[in-house]
Amino acid sequence: MLIRGKAPLRISFSGGGSDVSPYCDEYGGCVLSTTIGMHAVGSLAVREDKKINIFSVDYEELVRYELGNEINEGDKLSFVYSVIKRLNPPRGLDLYLHSDAPPGTGLGSSGAISALIVGLINHAFNLMLSKYDMARIAYQVEHDDLGRAVGRQDHYAAVFGGFNFMEFTSAGTTVYPLRIEQWILEELGYHLQMFYTRKKRDSADIVASQVTFYKEKRKDTLDALDEMKAMTREMQRCLVEGRLKRFGELLHDAWLAKIRMNPATANPYLLEIYEAARRHGALGGKILGAGGGGFFVFFTPFTKKGQVSEALKKLGAVPTPLIFDGGGLQTWQVAEQDLNQETEGIF
């Protein structure tokens, strides 16, 4: 049996950081995000034995072991075999993984890959997991099993797909899909531009510093998180009502609040990019994910987009197409012989 699948990556507009425990468990959090036309993709072939073979194109790493055995190799892929361990499939498998975005670039790729693996195993062994089950398991593996400082939004965005307003509490996560008129989506896409800074970072380190600030009850962190949640709710209303100029202005306010929440979000290079974009016409923008590098998104009047693009290219940022994708996690079964051609010489 050969199962293929894909899970979309995401951009978040506001609220990132309020989805991180223990803050969201005590005060609640919310995020406004959408999935885009970039994906984590993979193939899973069920074996007749207990052997596990995992190959990641992004990390150029191959891990081999047997179900039930503890392994110490392949630290970069620890979240992959941790998902397999938690789901405990009855047979071995060959797993081939790739993402359209490099790891550590703020588009939620590790959360999408975790969710994708859950989806592939769910399909292969008919585990009958709901969307909420799959997203929750993908998050729990990274946060609980591996002890990583991660937020919850990436895993749920990858599974559900589309434009969503998400709420996070001690009781769990609730996803509210947004019904947005087509003209509003077209107009939003008309104004947005995305740039790759060509800088990677370890998001766990940045999120860990935020958790430390929260536990220390740092006033700027707590105040900024409260402000971000209020902005997120207002941005959601602006989006569904088509008040996009205000949406762009709030994107700027959310960026400033995110820096107050955790100064590690921005470094001098990112600040230079942001200031150049604003100087050449962007109303607002934000670094995607935890910050420190990765991708920027900006809300810019169409007549100013060329000026912003030229200015940021001079600073080394790379314009990247931004396409909305509402598909969410998808898996399907195909002919097994296809895998033999794709993985020859790998497993």
Side-chain angles (χ1 to χ4, degrees):
M1 180 187 299
L2 173 62
I3 309 298
R4 292 199 204 282
K6 65 177 184 176
L9 308 187
R10 62 96 187 99
I11 61 172
S12 59
F13 298 108
S14 181
S18 71
D19 61 329
V20 177
S21 295
Y23 175 83
C24 64
D25 300 320
E26 298 182 26
Y27 294 101
C30 59
V31 164
L32 176 65
S33 71
T34 183
T35 46
I36 60 175
M38 300 171 73
H39 297 82
V41 296
S43 296
L44 182 153
V46 178
R47 300 176 60 92
E48 296 299 325
D49 53 26
K50 296 286 187 176
K51 293 181 179 180
I52 303 290
N53 297 314
I54 307 167
F55 181 74
S56 167
V57 175
D58 305 294
Y59 291 112
E60 296 184 344
E61 187 165 357
L62 173 63
V63 174
R64 302 176 185 270
Y65 67 102
E66 289 207 14
L67 283 172
N69 291 350
E70 294 295 329
I71 59 174
N72 297 315
E73 62 176 319
D75 289 341
K76 292 178 181 178
L77 298 183
S78 58
F79 69 96
V80 178
Y81 50 78
S82 293
V83 172
I84 296 170
K85 181 179 180 180
R86 177 175 272 257
L87 292 176
N88 192 27
R91 290 154 61 187
L93 50 89
D94 294 331
L95 190 59
Y96 183 87
L97 301 167
H98 174 58
S99 175
D100 289 336
T105 52
L107 298 180
S109 58
S110 67
I113 290 176
S114 296
L116 171 63
I117 299 165
V118 175
L120 289 169
I121 295 176
N122 175 63
H123 189 137
F125 298 102
N126 195 27
L127 302 183
M128 302 295 289
L129 298 175
S130 70
K131 288 185 175 181
Y132 276 102
D133 291 334
M134 289 189 284
R136 184 179 64 253
I137 290 169
Y139 166 73
Q140 288 173 338
V141 167
E142 288 203 79
H143 183 266
D144 300 348
D145 298 354
L146 295 176
R148 292 182 175 179
V150 297
R152 302 183 193 177
Q153 63 162 310
D154 296 351
H155 313 83
Y156 287 84
V159 171
F160 283 85
F163 280 83
N164 294 298
F165 179 81
M166 304 183 198
E167 288 189 324
F168 312 96
T169 68
S170 59
T173 300
T174 305
V175 179
Y176 299 96
L178 300 183
R179 298 184 64 179
I180 305 173
E181 294 181 63
Q182 187 62 36
W183 75 266
I184 298 175
L185 293 179
E186 297 293 346
E187 190 69 7
L188 181 63
Y190 199 71
H191 284 80
L192 292 182
Q193 31 185 179
M194 190 164 74
F195 296 87
Y196 180 37
T197 66
R198 297 193 293 186
K199 305 290 184 184
K200 297 182 183 181
R201 79 287 183 273
D202 188 341
S203 62
D205 291 342
I206 298 173
V207 175
S209 67
Q210 174 199 319
V211 172
T212 298
F213 290 147
Y214 169 73
K215 290 180 177 179
E216 293 173 350
K217 303 302 179 186
R218 179 177 177 267
K219 187 176 187 304
D220 280 349
T221 296
L222 296 176
D223 290 348
L225 282 164
D226 288 342
E227 292 173 22
M228 288 167 59
K229 289 191 295 184
M231 291 176 200
T232 302
R233 295 182 185 280
E234 185 178 354
M235 289 181 76
Q236 180 235 337
R237 292 193 295 271
C238 289
L239 184 59
V240 297
E241 294 172 6
R243 294 186 286 119
L244 295 184
K245 182 175 184 294
R246 177 59 179 158
F247 180 92
E249 294 168 347
L250 286 167
L251 199 59
H252 173 64
D253 293 340
W255 160 255
L256 297 178
K258 186 167 183 173
I259 294 175
R260 290 198 305 275
M261 183 265 292
N262 185 359
T265 295
N267 54 44
Y269 177 60
L270 298 185
L271 291 173
E272 184 181 15
I273 288 178
Y274 191 85
E275 290 165 3
R278 288 268 293 174
R279 190 166 58 248
H280 286 85
L283 292 184
K286 70 182 292 286
I287 195 70
L288 299 173
F295 286 85
F296 256 116
V297 65
F298 291 101
F299 185 96
T300 309
F302 189 79
T303 56
K304 302 290 186 180
K305 288 176 99 172
Q307 298 175 40
V308 170
S309 184
E310 288 303 312
L312 298 197
K313 283 192 288 186
K314 290 179 181 178
L315 294 175
V318 180
T320 304
L322 176 57
I323 300 171
F324 304 138
D325 185 331
L329 172 64
Q330 300 176 51
T331 59
W332 60 94
Q333 186 170 341
V334 295
E336 187 171 4
Q337 60 265 26
D338 291 349
L339 186 67
N340 296 329
Q341 300 173 356
E342 294 175 5
T343 61
E344 185 176 359
I346 295 177
F347 298 138

